[in-house]
């Protein structure tokens, strides 16, 4: 596992009672769907060396593993259907047990703090932040774990949690990007050895 | 107008008779929607200096102007609704007449060859192509016009049209990107003065 993304969905649904035809109305699930597809999909290919963890309303963690992920399509609607399937099986996730709800997707009961504690030793924790150090000034780490928020900023409490564990605070450009755009640029940064060569 | 994107939708609908709840089934309209939002949207902001032209099935051209664009949201569903509204008014576009169908969005009857002829003098025409010259080796031009295809490659005939007018063939990274991802990276290339500084 060489690239990880942890995305916090503050208003994300915690049950399956939402319509796939109104994803913005479902706690801005559209934002999270785009983050997932940006993290995994290439043109006619999938990035197998990626793990994405979505933190849903600080209650559930949804983990996507590139190596075993199946049926992930680029459109928001079908990605949201995979998430809804996972949420429909959420009651099977008891205690620390994780439940695989479709190939490569698992749900468990964890909040943001627990997720951060779990990834803390996986590699270099990078808080993606508009005010961070420009990525062009840094050599990309071998095993980055990027921390992102959804359409809302991290809360003060989340920032304190992040500051306690993050290794770096990095900016990917001078304009404020959406989460999925930041993921796309972060991949490009890594793919090009720090925007240098390929 | 400093940045333009021309995106060819080979299988795109040419009327409004499609469901917003199945965009992949509507000639992969989801692909074009993501290209539009990637071109214009920043986090809580819009790029006003951008124009996007979608070429729909070589029959209609749909033009989005950042300076006057309103009601563009990040989700695919609402972007597709704007496109459907434009297509519903397509019969008002007669001859070379363009019709504004909602603020900042206009439709007219043009094929790919005509669109290329119209943008040829607007700036530096850049064919985005996995086999092109790495962007890191080039200084970004002041007024780039990027040419992209949807989920399908450009046809042989389209390639010939492009080769006749394009100034450069540029690659944005070693991995093959989706159109919207390429647009996001192209913006970052320009925003950072060629991945150098900000």
């Amino acid at each position: 596992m060489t690239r990880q993304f942890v995305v916090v969905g503050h208003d994300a649904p915690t049950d399956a009672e939402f319509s796939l035809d109104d994803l913005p109305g479902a706690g801005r699930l559209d934002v999270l769907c785009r983050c997932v597809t940006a993290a995994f999909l290439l043109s006619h290919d999938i990035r197998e060396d990626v793990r994405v963890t979505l933190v849903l309303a600080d209650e559930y963690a949804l983990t996507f593993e590139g190596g075993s992920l199946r049926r992930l399509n680029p459109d928001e609607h079908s990605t949201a259907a995979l998430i809804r399937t996972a949420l429909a099986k959420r009651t099977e996730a008891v205690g620390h047990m994780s439940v695989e709800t479709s190939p490569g997707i698992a749900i468990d009961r964890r909040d943001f703090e627990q997720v951060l504690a779990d990834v803390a030793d996986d590699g270099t924790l990078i808080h993606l932040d508009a005010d961070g150090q420009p990525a062009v000034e840094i050599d990309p780490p071998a095993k980055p774990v990027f921390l992102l928020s959804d359409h809302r900023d991290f809360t003060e409490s989340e920032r304190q949690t992040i500051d306690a564990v993050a290794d770096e605070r990095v900016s990917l450009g001078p304009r404020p990007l959406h989460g999925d755009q930041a993921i796309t640029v972060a991949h490009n940064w890594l793919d090009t050895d720090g925007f240098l060569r390929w």
Side-chain angles (χ1 to χ4, degrees), chain A:
Chain A
M1 188 56 48
T2 55
R3 302 180 187 181
Q4 285 196 61
F5 300 90
V6 175
V7 188
V8 172
H10 291 93
D11 308 320
T14 53
D15 61 38
E17 306 306 309
F18 60 86
S19 166
L20 295 177
D21 298 332
D22 180 19
L23 299 179
R28 292 308 304 276
L29 196 58
D30 61 309
V31 174
L32 300 182
C33 291
R34 287 193 296 278
C35 286
V36 170
T37 50
F40 289 107
L41 297 184
L42 291 160
S43 184
H44 308 294
D45 205 357
I46 188 164
R47 294 182 186 267
E48 296 194 353
D49 59 344
V50 169
R51 178 187 298 155
V52 169
T53 306
L54 303 181
V55 181
L56 307 180
D58 220 29
E59 197 168 332
Y60 292 99
L62 218 59
T63 309
F64 298 70
E65 297 282 353
S68 48
L69 199 51
R70 298 287 176 276
R71 301 198 292 267
L72 181 70
N73 292 314
D75 66 298
E76 294 165 12
H77 196 277
S78 64
T79 306
L82 292 172
I83 294 175
R84 194 171 67 171
T85 296
L87 282 169
K89 299 182 182 174
R90 71 193 180 285
T91 53
E92 299 172 26
V94 181
H96 295 294
M97 287 281 290
S98 162
V99 177
E100 187 170 58
T101 58
S102 56
I105 304 180
I107 191 167
D108 61 69
R109 291 184 173 275
R110 272 184 300 165
D111 62 13
F112 181 53
E113 200 168 338
Q114 288 172 294
V115 168
L116 275 201
D118 289 342
V119 297
D121 295 328
D122 286 353
T124 307
L125 263 64
I126 298 181
H127 174 191
L128 287 180
D129 188 271
D131 296 324
Q133 187 177 8
V136 290
E137 299 173 2
I138 308 166
D139 287 331
K143 293 185 171 185
V145 182
F146 296 98
L147 313 178
L148 301 88
S149 188
D150 56 2
H151 59 294
R152 289 169 50 191
D153 291 333
F154 283 120
T155 65
E156 187 51 42
S157 155
E158 286 162 351
R159 276 189 170 265
Q160 287 175 8
T161 307
I162 291 170
D163 288 346
V165 295
D167 299 289
E168 297 178 15
R169 202 156 56 90
V170 173
S171 158
L172 294 168
R175 309 295 301 268
L177 302 177
H178 280 290
D180 61 313
Q181 297 170 337
I183 289 171
T184 297
V185 173
H187 270 316
N188 191 250
W189 181 46
L190 300 169
D191 290 344
T192 60
D193 203 7
F195 300 128
L196 284 182
R197 67 186 72 84
W198 65 87

